[in-house]
Amino acid sequence: MQEIGHWINGKRVAGKSGRFADIYNPATGEIQAKVALASPEELDHAIAEAAKAQVAWAATNPQRRARVMMAFGALINQNMDKLAELVSREHGKTLPDARGDVQRGLEVVEVCMGAPAMLKGEMTDSAGPGIDLYAMRQPLGVVAGITPFNFPAMIPLWKMAPALASGNAMILKPSERVPSTSLLLAELLQEAGLPDGVLQVVNGDKSVVDGILDHPVIQGVGFVGSTPIAQYIYGRAATNGKRAQCFGGAKNHMIIMPDADLDKAADALIGAGYGAAGERCMAISVAVPVGAQTADALIERLVPRIEKLKVGPYTAGDDVDFGPLITRQAQERVLGLIGSGVEQGAKLVVDGRGLKIQGYESGFFVGPTLFDDVTPEMEIYRQEIFGPVLSTVRKDSYEDALKLVMDNEYGNGTAIYTADGDTARDFASRVNVGMVGINFPIPVPLSYYSFGGWKRSAFGDLNQYGPDAFRFYTKTKTVTARWFSGIKEGAALNFKAMD
Ligand code: NAD
């Protein structure tokens, strides 16, 4: 059985704790590898070595650091197929979707090639007699990235690229379900010229995360995962005086107005609802058609599209639309939620339970599922299902639909399909959600903007990647400097204006 260890000081090292977690092949249900869970001593060692390496890395000029990002980007491109295969092997998503996972991470690396421009400070000359005032951005030191299972390449890249380009060292703790992609990315970074020790990949579970949160050397924590864990990590990191940004779960709604192009809206819902088996924090899980006619016409269009979807292992070819869920536990949870929807009175239009794929009977598959007549009290509405289940909540007016979105505890992404510019503009302006799509189902901002939700989808300040990431991974130091030529002023005891 393959044993996956850690990446410490530029080398793959075996775990020494004797503790391991199983990594499944989600399509077969079999254990395919074991990942080591680091001990407190292994974590301490990784952090101590990172702190040493960070000093020289921070002193490396930003342009040289950016060149490492350039070489890294080229290597990611060269290794695209290998990275995508690793993503699919552990996560189960299709290969085209896995390539997208790598690609959206690569785009953040590309922005980090321009890091020197993002790291510039500010200056005011002659702020007073002989006085110049300037502010510089300095790295935090050693920071941590703690990432979820659902984007094994993209989210580690969102964390590591801006943190490293800003002159920090990083302890990356990837999801214990999908550790291999992060290890390969670490190898590519070394090949790109990153000094050993600047990125340490420490595999582990809650105990490693707690060790990170309590460690005095760690200055900042970037987390992505579920909301309860995001809130916990934010609280514990903040109590320990660390800068923290923790991105959580979601329940993303799409409003479909009566004037929308319903074929386009149905296509969008298929992609955004069922792509990656719904295991995306930006998946649309709630369709909100406005008016009974719109709702009926939408359901009529969704059903044949859903019936055409092909579910299977990624190895079955590029015509597979989506793969299995990540674990048996996730599969059972989603099946249980579908059952609760039926019990609580939602109309099950397409039932994905009982899907069997020949040769993969023990895989963690759930077929595409569609509910109609869902109400906000139902469990299937209240919970982030994180599976291929789309709920329809019917509303009679735009205001009612908007209120539903606004009242939801999550605020990651949302979308509206309409032909009316005024409605779209009103929606974008009023909705209390961080990322908004207009006739666009998954509005993940491009890498030169920043990504982040509102409400219980994010805890802490600043968003991830883009300009916000450079702010998060640096602290500002402001210097007031005076040179005395021509100044005769003696001792001054009063606090006063500089002029
Ligand atoms: P998760 O919260 O279970 O795990 C995320 C990370 O936290 C992992 O590295 C895990 O090892 C660690 N962890 C788990 N339990 C912990 C605990 N009790 N204490 C400390 N650390 C713990 O999330 P997941 O199942 O891997 O990922 C799916 C979730 O991530 C979904 O809720 C999804 O919406 C969310 N997500 C959010 C975003 C975003 O940007 N908002 C992006 C992707 C995924």
Side-chain angles (χ1 to χ4, degrees), residues 384-428:
E384 178 186 35
I385 299 178
F386 228 55
V389 181
L390 180 64
S391 297
T392 310
V393 180
R394 294 173 173 235
K395 288 289 168 193
D396 290 334
S397 70
Y398 164 68
E399 285 298 333
D400 287 350
L402 176 63
K403 185 171 183 319
L404 179 78
V405 182
M406 304 270 286
D407 287 347
N408 193 274
E409 64 174 324
Y410 295 107
N412 218 35
T414 187
I416 188 164
Y417 268 63
T418 179
D420 182 68
D422 280 329
T423 309
R425 191 167 177 275
D426 182 81
F427 180 69

Side-chain angles (χ1 to χ4, degrees), residues 1 8 21-22 24 30 120 134 179 213 249 268 274 310 321 343 353 393 412 467 470 487:
M1 173 80 53
I8 308 292
D22 293 331
Y24 287 88
E30 287 160 5
K120 284 190 299 190
Y134 57 95
L213 298 176
Y274 301 112
K310 186 170 169 196
D321 291 300
E343 274 163 33
R353 297 174 294 180
V393 180
N412 218 35
F470 293 98
I487 298 172

